[in-house]
Amino acid sequence: MTSTVLVPMDDGVRLATDLHLPDRTGRHPAVLIRTPYDRRAHRAELRAWAARGFAAAVQDVRGRHGSEGRWRPFHGEAADGTATLRFLRAQEWSDGRVVAAGSSYAAHCALATATGPGGRPDAVIAAVPALGPAETAREPHGPERLLARAGWWAAHGDRPDSDPGALGRALAADPDLLAHLPVAALPVRLGRALPSWRGVWDAERPGALLRSAGRATVPLLAVAGTQDPFADDTHRLWRAWGGPARLLTGPWGHGLTAEPGPGARPAHRVALGALYVRFARAALDGRLSPGAYGALALAGSDLWFRPGERTAPRVWHFGARDGLRPLRGPDFTADPARPVRSDTLDVPAAGPPDRCLLVTPPLPRPLDLLGPAQARLTAVADAAPADWAVRVAALAPDGRAEPLALGVVRRADPPGAAAEFTVPLGRPARRLPAGTRLRVEVAGHHFPAHARQPHTGEDPVTATRLRASRRTVRLTGSALVLHTGRTRGVDPVQEICR
């Protein structure tokens, strides 16, 4: 049976917490989920943990739903988490061990508690973790993640409850909602106060979690999807973690197995709940080997492989006969009034070029992509700062396009001067069948996923003017680099719990 208690924090604020204990009496390990998304949505999850011998607790974070206090995203979670751990460990049913778990912002709460200055959990399960305001709001190289942050803040920001459909309704009423300037005035167009919106863009990377991850000593399970915008940050967290660290990555979006991406296969339908329990038992019992291990799914196949699998770079040079043949460009105009859009893979067949578009010959044989990808560009912009978005799609023999890799960087090179730079494209894990062609787009915008670079020298968040920018991608010196290899299949459950 689930009961609700109000757990006091150090300042007297009480946080609503649902508890579900195992049927058998005695002392039990606990699992703690702290969430802004309404604790009541987790009651089935509580029952599942309790059925497996854990005392399960889920708590509304400060200022949300049933909890008292003021809601300030990404503030105070370490202190409130520490106070809640202390409460759980003091209960007569507790054996003193606690696993902190959660997805997205709830994973941030778990990680903040594990890396904070107070009492720590004994293990952490962090799925698609939102590491902090800087990591969620911007790409590592600067561009603002507009659509995702607008949707999250419209639904959850500066309010005690949630309205998941808020941005969708606003866009239905005004399809150009995100195109209006300045970006900072979005709350006015949404019709409600969002005092924290402007501060979303002020934090600097890396945030506190990544800076302190190396000092962590408790075991970590980090779960990511290759289609999730936080995938690279999850990988960085796993690499930086000081204690035993495990990584599970599949061909999923932010919803993990509930949101399969291109190339997802039946073998990738991992029973995550059962895996979390098995990991938690191994972690609490001290049965995990030191070091970093994990399993990554190879989309387009039924295989899983280990991170760090031996790979070799495969280079497609721009303009080379057996490399990337230019179809449009390499001179183009990046016009923020008519930006390249992120919500479609369609490309224009006519009109002035708005991107540099290139394609490879068909692959003569299947190819396994297993590691970091990047575009090496030699390019010119007549404005500074200038954003460069590189998108790679896999073209099936019938012409269907599927997303493969994406990267966006902000550069401040002197206008008109050729610059050599790299655009990181994530870590695709994908088997491409023979006959697949790779299509590469180099553009100045990726909107509405990312805010438009105005090319006026203004901050894209506060800019009120736009101007077009002339761009040139120099074929000589530019290339697409993917890592390829041959996989040796592993069992993901065994790798996570080794």
Side-chain angles (χ1 to χ4, degrees):
M1 179 178 177
T2 300
S3 60
T4 301
V5 296
L6 294 175
V7 177
M9 298 295 102
D10 292 341
D11 60 355
V13 169
R14 299 177 302 170
L15 304 189
T17 307
D18 285 355
L19 295 172
H20 198 109
L21 302 182
D23 290 335
R24 66 178 186 272
T25 59
R27 296 183 180 274
H28 314 284
V31 60
L32 170 64
I33 302 166
R34 303 188 62 253
T35 178
Y37 304 126
D38 194 343
R39 72 190 191 284
R40 294 168 295 184
H42 290 265
R43 287 183 172 171
E45 187 176 355
L46 293 189
R47 292 192 294 270
W49 278 103
R52 290 164 173 82
F54 285 80
V58 60
Q59 181 180 83
D60 289 330
V61 299
R62 181 178 293 247
R64 293 285 285 172
H65 301 283
S67 289
E68 299 171 349
R70 176 190 171 197
W71 165 231
R72 296 182 65 205
F74 298 104
H75 287 82
E77 304 300 1
D80 287 352
T82 297
T84 305
L85 289 179
R86 192 164 56 243
F87 170 85
L88 294 177
R89 286 173 171 147
Q91 303 308 301
E92 61 181 10
W93 45 256
S94 171
D95 71 3
R97 299 177 299 170
V98 183
V99 177
S103 297
S104 195
Y105 188 93
H108 169 83
C109 294
L111 291 163
T113 305
T115 58
R120 294 177 174 81
D122 299 281
V124 179
I125 299 171
V128 289
L131 296 186
E135 285 82 3
T136 58
R138 294 180 183 270
E139 297 292 343
H141 297 277
E144 300 82 3
R145 291 169 170 159
L146 174 60
L147 179 61
R149 292 301 87 195
W152 196 90
W153 245 261
H156 309 294
D158 299 297
R159 58 185 301 154
D161 57 0
S162 293
D163 183 4
L167 185 63
R169 292 194 305 274
L171 286 169
D174 179 5
D176 294 325
L177 177 78
L178 297 179
H180 298 310
L181 298 177
V183 169
L186 176 67
V188 175
R189 297 189 288 276
L190 289 173
R192 74 175 184 87
L194 270 174
S196 65
W197 174 247
R198 183 62 185 88
V200 171
W201 313 107
D202 293 339
E204 296 183 358
R205 297 177 65 116
L209 287 183
L210 277 180
R211 292 197 305 269
S212 59
R215 299 191 296 272
T217 58
V218 303
L220 166 73
L221 171 57
V223 185
T226 54
Q227 305 301 307
D228 177 57
F230 304 154
D232 281 351
D233 285 336
T234 306
H235 194 273
R236 290 187 187 96
L237 174 72
W238 169 72
R239 281 290 186 198
W241 196 257
R246 301 295 182 265
L247 175 70
L248 182 76
T249 302
W252 314 310
H254 197 65
L256 297 178
T257 54
E259 190 181 332
R265 301 283 286 269
H268 306 142
R269 295 174 188 159
V270 178
L272 291 177
L275 179 60
Y276 293 171
V277 171
R278 188 164 171 177
F279 168 83
R281 287 290 184 191
L284 295 181
D285 293 344
R287 291 186 281 107
L288 292 178
S289 302
Y293 299 95
L296 281 68
L298 183 66
S301 80
D302 290 329
L303 291 177
W304 292 79
F305 63 97
R306 294 187 180 101
E309 192 97 7
R310 184 172 298 177
T311 63
R314 172 77 181 271
V315 182
W316 285 267
H317 294 283
F318 287 19
R321 178 177 296 180
D322 58 349
L324 281 154
R325 177 171 59 92
L327 300 179
R328 304 197 79 197
D331 300 308
F332 66 94
T333 299
D335 187 350
R338 290 179 290 277
V340 171
R341 295 195 62 89
S342 60
D343 48 11
T344 177
L345 288 176
D346 295 341
V347 296
D354 63 353
R355 71 198 81 184
C356 177
L357 183 67
L358 311 100
V359 68
T360 68
L363 295 175
R365 60 188 64 87
L367 189 67
D368 287 352
L369 306 180
L370 301 179
Q374 61 181 9
R376 299 174 184 165
L377 297 183
T378 301
V380 181
D382 69 354
D387 290 353
W388 295 88
V390 177
R391 186 166 62 178
V392 183
L395 302 181
D398 63 5
R400 288 180 297 108
E402 291 184 343
L404 187 61
L406 169 71
V408 188
V409 303
R410 180 162 294 159
R411 300 284 302 180
D413 305 297
E420 298 179 2
F421 56 94
T422 297
V423 181
L425 300 174
R427 310 178 72 87
R430 181 79 178 273
R431 172 167 291 173
L432 301 177
T436 301
R437 292 177 297 155
L438 301 177
R439 187 182 72 194
V440 175
E441 301 167 72
V442 182
H445 300 96
H446 186 247
F447 175 82
H450 296 87
R452 294 168 296 170
Q453 174 57 244
H455 304 134
T456 60
E458 298 174 271
D459 183 334
V461 176
T462 57
T464 57
R465 299 177 298 115
L466 304 172
R467 81 172 183 87
S469 168
R470 293 290 300 166
R471 306 290 183 92
T472 298
V473 175
R474 295 191 176 174
L475 301 182
T476 301
S478 297
L480 172 68
V481 183
L482 304 176
H483 275 73
T484 66
R486 299 182 65 181
T487 59
R488 294 172 295 173
V490 299
D491 182 319
V493 176
Q494 291 182 0
E495 293 300 310
I496 296 304
C497 299
R498 64 184 296 179

